[in-house]
Amino acid sequence: METALVKKSNWTIRMRRQALFAALMMVLVLLVIFLYSCSSDDVTTEPTNQTKKTFYVEGTHLFDPCGKQVILKGVNKMSVFDENDPQGAGYFPEIAKSGANSVRIVWQKTNSNGTATSLTTLEAIIKNCMKEKMIPMVEMHEATCNLNGLNDLVNFWSSAPVVALVKKYEHAMLVNIANEAGDYSVTATQFETAYKSAITQLRTAGINTPLIIDAPDCGKNLELVVPIAANLVNHDPLHNILISAHPYWSKKDGATPQFIAGQLNAAATAQVPLILGEVCAFGGYPGDNVPETYGCTTEGAVDYAAVLTEAAKHDIGWLLWEWGPGNGYYNVDPVVLCPTMDITTNGTYASVQAITPNDPNAWAKDAVITGAYSIKNTALKTAYLQNGFICQ
């Protein structure tokens, strides 16, 4: 009996060892499959181990799907008008050299020649931006300074093909509904009513990304939005709203450092989830009875350094206007180019490095590279971006 029991015990041990070995091998196979899937270069790979399916707003700040705070630091790019590099295969790698973590992508329903733009091209732009580990923020440009144009762009965003595109990249992108919709005459009630309708339509259509709402008066009137920002956020069932101001507050029009500090302090005190969607050293109001093209001169100078300084105090993200070249007033004949608003002279990072103090866009080197609050010195990419928009 003693021998039989020993034999039975040894057989049981061997069987248990074989079962354990098989289980370990299965675990190793599954681990290899998992690691292989995570190593894919496809930027559309679904995020894993994430807390959210999209970037999201909590309080006054933006967070990635893994739950890490993101402070946007980047540039604008007029992609829709770039005929030389329409998909951004060349300029996104150049922008990325600055350390930017986001690009605000200018888009329209139509090209400059009046033909319809292509969603295939827009998708390529989004993917090329993501490939460089930068957050694509797509904005529609055709309602600039015109609140009546907002609904047409909401219809664009709500269309089935566009919703499908947004949902495909919702883990990576931000939706800036309309550029600067509304002129100086828009009231708070008109603005709130229009954007509540926009929020409802976009959420009903299935868009879940953060929705970015530009201030009226062509982006400048932050004072109007501050008292109603909470109403807009609360109207959104996802509470996933960012307010964007474009501080083209000219020195000539009284925008001192104290004025700028007051504007951003008021927004912070009111707990407005704020970003500055366009920041530039020029483009401000040049004064009464002065041609608008003077906005590119010292008549339209903006204290951008004070804007960046005050933004840093409140962790407010911002994007510089604009990578360039090609800024100008195309609504006048002849066209007046505006090199003071071009960050680059040829679309390359090297051209920013080569800027001298006497260049018309000297501010750009400070804001992108050398300044204390520059993109190069302050922009951060969370692990989610670094890993190719995947939580690990």
Side-chain angles (χ1 to χ4, degrees):
M1 294 294 294
E2 186 72 17
T3 303
L5 285 173
V6 170
K7 287 181 179 179
K8 185 176 181 180
S9 177
N10 287 341
W11 179 85
T12 302
I13 290 170
R14 287 198 301 272
M15 291 299 293
R16 286 176 177 173
R17 286 175 176 172
Q18 290 174 4
L20 180 59
F21 178 78
L24 288 173
M25 289 301 295
M26 180 61 70
V27 169
L28 287 172
V29 169
L30 292 175
L31 181 60
V32 169
I33 293 172
F34 174 76
L35 291 174
Y36 176 80
S37 66
C38 288
S39 67
S40 172
D41 291 330
D42 184 0
V43 295
T44 67
T45 299
E46 281 294 318
T48 57
N49 300 325
Q50 60 191 36
T51 59
K52 301 280 187 178
K53 290 185 176 181
T54 70
F55 283 82
Y56 64 97
V57 179
E58 190 170 286
T60 60
H61 299 303
L62 179 69
F63 295 83
D64 70 24
C66 308
K68 300 298 183 181
Q69 184 180 342
V70 177
I71 301 176
L72 299 176
K73 297 286 179 71
V75 302
N76 284 258
K77 180 66 180 89
M78 293 189 289
S79 299
V80 74
F81 303 126
D82 195 324
E83 298 176 354
N84 295 322
D85 185 12
Q87 297 184 352
Y91 57 71
F92 282 123
E94 293 299 314
I95 293 171
K97 291 176 183 178
S98 70
N101 60 24
S102 180
V103 179
R104 184 171 180 260
I105 297 163
V106 178
W107 198 247
Q108 293 192 154
K109 294 168 58 181
T110 57
N111 292 298
S112 299
N113 61 10
T115 60
T117 52
S118 164
L119 289 184
T120 301
T121 300
L122 179 57
E123 181 173 13
I125 289 171
I126 291 170
K127 290 178 69 173
N128 281 330
C129 185
M130 293 170 62
K131 183 179 179 181
E132 300 302 325
K133 302 177 180 179
M134 299 183 295
I135 303 164
M137 179 196 301
V138 179
E139 65 98 340
M140 295 300 292
H141 213 65
E142 287 153 313
T144 300
C145 304
N146 177 22
L147 191 61
N148 291 330
L150 175 61
N151 197 54
D152 188 45
L153 297 185
V154 171
N155 290 337
F156 168 84
W157 284 114
S158 301
S159 65
V162 176
V163 171
L165 178 63
V166 173
K167 291 191 76 66
K168 185 175 182 180
Y169 298 98
E170 68 178 3
H171 64 288
M173 69 179 289
L174 309 175
V175 170
N176 195 168
I177 304 173
N179 180 64
E180 302 178 351
D183 62 14
Y184 68 92
S185 67
V186 168
T187 67
T189 299
Q190 291 172 329
F191 190 81
E192 181 177 341
T193 299
Y195 267 105
K196 280 184 174 179
S197 176
I199 292 167
T200 297
Q201 292 179 69
L202 295 181
R203 295 307 189 208
T204 301
I207 292 178
N208 299 315
T209 65
L211 299 176
I212 298 169
I213 297 175
D214 286 4
D217 191 9
C218 306
K220 298 188 295 295
N221 196 344
L222 180 57
E223 290 180 351
L224 179 145
V225 185
V226 166
I228 64 173
N231 297 342
L232 295 172
V233 173
N234 291 331
H235 181 76
D236 178 16
L238 301 181
H239 302 294
N240 204 6
I241 301 291
L242 286 171
I243 302 299
S244 178
H246 298 176
Y248 292 108
W249 303 323
S250 64
K251 297 177 183 179
K252 185 172 182 178
D253 204 32
T256 62
Q258 292 73 27
F259 169 85
I260 293 167
Q263 292 286 305
L264 300 191
N265 283 335
T269 300
Q271 295 290 290
V272 175
L274 179 66
I275 63 170
L276 304 176
E278 295 183 17
V279 177
C280 189
F282 294 91
Y285 179 62
D288 295 336
N289 302 315
V290 177
E292 64 174 335
T293 57
Y294 279 51
C296 286
T297 71
T298 54
E299 300 295 301
V302 174
D303 192 344
Y304 78 93
V307 171
L308 300 188
T309 299
E310 294 303 321
K313 294 179 181 178
H314 305 290
D315 285 343
I316 295 173
W318 46 262
L319 300 108
L320 302 176
W321 184 273
E322 181 270 345
W323 190 248
N327 278 283
Y329 292 88
Y330 291 85
N331 59 327
V332 299
D333 189 14
V335 170
V336 176
L337 294 179
C338 188
T340 56
M341 298 179 78
D342 291 333
I343 294 172
T344 73
T345 56
N346 60 11
T348 67
Y349 181 69
S351 72
V352 186
Q353 293 175 306
I355 292 173
T356 70
N358 294 324
D359 288 335
N361 61 343
W363 68 274
K365 186 174 184 178
D366 176 71
V368 174
I369 303 175
T370 58
Y373 299 106
S374 67
I375 294 173
K376 198 70 172 177
N377 287 328
T378 65
L380 297 174
K381 294 182 181 180
T382 64
Y384 182 70
L385 272 69
Q386 297 282 10
N387 293 332
F389 297 89
I390 298 172
C391 290
Q392 291 184 336

